[in-house]
Amino acid sequence: MVVDYESLWALEEQPMHPDFDYWEHALTYYRALRAHGVTVDVVTSESDLSTYRALVAPTHHLVDDVERLPTRVRLWERESVGG
């Protein structure tokens, strides 16, 4: 699971809802994955993501260096966004 401090800071400046809590939101994903038996590494967006088969990035605002992302993530992003 990718946590991103820039996204956290952006949400602190302009929250989606007054009661929104970045860490509680991330914990919701973490708990759901763990409830299904998935081992979860919590990493930052600066980490080497190439070794992961799946990435979960709750409330991730921006990706500033697309070329750093593994090819399969770039392909998924292009398909899901329609680019």
Side-chain angles (χ1 to χ4, degrees):
M1 185 170 74
V2 182
V3 295
D4 180 63
Y5 291 103
E6 289 182 11
S7 295
L8 168 63
W9 296 328
L11 287 165
E12 286 177 348
E13 289 299 314
Q14 188 171 14
M16 293 188 270
H17 186 276
D19 296 332
F20 183 80
D21 181 284
Y22 178 87
W23 293 112
E24 190 58 42
H25 183 72
L27 272 172
T28 301
Y29 282 86
Y30 179 85
R31 289 180 187 126
L33 291 165
R34 292 298 302 138
H36 285 87
V38 177
T39 300
V40 180
D41 291 343
V42 179
V43 297
T44 69
S45 53
E46 299 299 316
S47 302
D48 178 8
L49 306 174
S50 65
T51 60
Y52 294 98
R53 293 176 43 204
L55 296 172
V56 175
T59 322
H60 199 84
H61 274 56
L62 301 170
V63 175
D64 60 355
D65 188 0
V66 173
E67 294 307 314
R68 277 192 63 252
L69 293 175
T71 301
R72 61 188 175 278
V73 173
R74 291 195 310 266
L75 291 173
W76 174 84
E77 186 273 339
R78 188 173 60 220
E79 295 293 320
S80 66
V81 175

